[in-house]
């Protein structure tokens, strides 16, 4: 399917999810995840009107960014090794994978301007997933207060690949609750307005539970692998 048709389909599902949950589609940012696809397919996404793009590896990020830096807002959604921070951090508009103090420290050292970050939270507790345990998020925020170039604009999570919708919903709801806890800190460094949650399989549930940013790869641009 062409990206424009996929996007239309996704937008209509977003609209339905918003109607069910009394939200407005304008509140939702669709991030096209291009990690599976070529430069040509990425270009097709941009032409279809996708304005936010994401990659999860540094090499892929830098390649796509070099082609399309002025055509999209750029999100980095993968694990970022501290030693690679200097190579990408000034190209990234939003980092979705802040998960440790050493990374915050390195960002603070290498960034020219404050970087908008999402703190990645492992809500489901799966061992294979990155991110902080929910109870560690507030202490973590406290521990990075000295890093002025790190702005915590939201929280991010990945739900497990399971069938049970109620359980998936529960994980998203938990992240939304945690965002309220962070907002209540009323910290200038951590306005924490956003929730980055929902992928191809579960973005409608995520929106019903408050997602502001959905990260969609395979059902938008497809997957080559
Ligand atoms: C690959 C990836 C996505 C997109 O996955 P799809 O299921 O293809 O939509 C979203 N978020 C992260 C962090 C990813 O690595």
């Amino acid at each position: 399917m062409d990206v424009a048709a996929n996007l239309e389909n996704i937008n209509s599902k977003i609209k339905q999810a918003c109607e069910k949950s009394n939200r407005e589609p304008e509140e939702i940012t669709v991030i096209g995840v291009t990690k599976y696809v070529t430069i040509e397919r990425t270009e097709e996404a941009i032409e279809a009107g996708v304005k936010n793009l994401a990659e999860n590896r540094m090499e892929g990020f830098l390649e796509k960014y070099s082609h399309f830096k002025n055509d999209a807002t750029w999100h980095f959604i993968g694990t970022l090794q501290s030693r690679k921070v200097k190579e990408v951090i000034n190209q990234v508009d939003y980092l979705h994978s802040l998960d440790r103090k050493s990374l915050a420290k390195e960002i603070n050292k290498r960034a020219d301007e404050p970087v908008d970050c999402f703190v990645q939270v492992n809500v489901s507790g799966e061992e294979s997933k990155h991110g902080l345990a929910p109870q560690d998020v507030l202490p973590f925020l406290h521990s990075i207060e000295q890093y002025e170039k790190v702005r915590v604009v939201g929280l991010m999570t990945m739900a497990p690949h399971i069938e049970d919708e109620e359980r998936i919903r529960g994980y998203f709801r938990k992240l939304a609750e945690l965002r309220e806890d962070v907002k209540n800190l009323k910290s200038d460094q951590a306005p924490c307005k956003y929730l980055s949650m929902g992928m191809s399989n579960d973005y409608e549930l995520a929106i019903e539970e408050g997602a502001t940013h959905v990260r969609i790869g395979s059902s938008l641009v497809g997957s080559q692998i």
Side-chain angles (χ1 to χ4, degrees):
M1 288 277 271
D2 59 72
V3 179
N6 291 339
L7 183 61
E8 203 174 306
N9 184 29
I10 289 166
N11 281 337
S12 82
K13 288 185 174 161
I14 289 176
K15 193 161 168 256
Q16 283 168 22
C18 284
E19 277 163 10
K20 269 173 92 173
S21 53
N22 255 313
R23 304 187 62 201
E24 298 298 327
E26 294 70 35
E27 297 169 30
I28 319 295
T29 299
V30 174
I31 303 173
V33 178
T34 54
K35 67 187 185 196
Y36 313 108
V37 302
T38 59
I39 294 291
E40 290 71 30
R41 191 70 166 166
T42 303
E43 187 165 16
E44 194 188 328
I46 292 167
E47 281 164 5
V50 178
K51 296 190 168 56
N52 288 264
L53 295 175
E55 286 279 327
N56 68 335
R57 288 177 189 278
M58 195 187 72
E59 294 74 17
F61 180 91
L62 290 175
E63 192 201 2
K64 302 274 179 21
Y65 180 85
S66 71
H67 280 82
F68 305 115
K69 63 177 155 209
N70 298 321
D71 302 316
T73 297
W74 282 96
H75 301 256
F76 193 90
I77 59 174
T79 303
L80 184 56
Q81 289 175 293
S82 296
R83 63 189 170 82
K84 294 187 172 172
V85 165
K86 60 176 179 298
E87 298 178 51
V88 287
I89 204 64
N90 290 305
Q91 282 75 42
V92 167
D93 295 305
Y94 292 90
L95 176 73
H96 291 242
S97 51
L98 179 59
D99 62 353
R100 58 196 193 278
K101 186 177 175 184
S102 56
L103 180 58
K105 184 178 180 191
E106 187 67 12
I107 291 170
N108 196 60
K109 187 169 159 191
R110 303 292 183 178
D112 298 333
E113 301 289 333
V115 180
D116 287 342
C117 300
F118 290 78
V119 172
Q120 185 167 352
V121 186
N122 183 358
V123 183
S124 66
E126 280 182 296
E127 268 183 38
S128 60
K129 292 229 160 36
H130 289 273
L132 292 162
Q135 68 271 21
D136 294 338
V137 171
L138 295 185
F140 171 72
L141 292 175
H142 188 61
S143 78
I144 63 166
E145 270 169 3
Q146 75 259 43
Y147 302 132
E148 293 168 354
K149 290 199 184 129
V150 176
R151 287 189 74 227
V152 177
V153 297
L155 302 179
M156 178 276 216
T157 200
M158 289 171 84
H161 273 280
I162 53 173
E163 295 291 316
D164 185 343
E165 291 198 352
E166 281 313 304
R167 257 179 74 198
I168 297 174
R169 228 181 243 290
Y171 296 133
F172 292 149
R173 205 169 285 158
K174 175 84 191 170
L175 196 72
E177 285 168 16
L178 200 50
R179 177 181 61 173
E180 293 312 305
D181 295 343
V182 178
K183 274 187 175 171
N184 286 337
L185 298 174
K186 303 207 184 311
S187 147
D188 290 338
Q189 185 193 23
C192 212
K193 288 195 294 190
Y194 304 134
L195 287 174
S196 169
M197 57 189 196
M199 322 197 330
S200 290
N201 286 328
D202 54 20
Y203 66 91
E204 294 155 273
L205 293 175
I207 288 169
E208 288 176 35
E209 298 302 331
T212 60
H213 293 66
V214 290
R215 310 176 309 269
I216 307 182
S218 35
S219 61
L220 179 62
V221 290
S223 53
Q224 291 171 321
I225 48 170

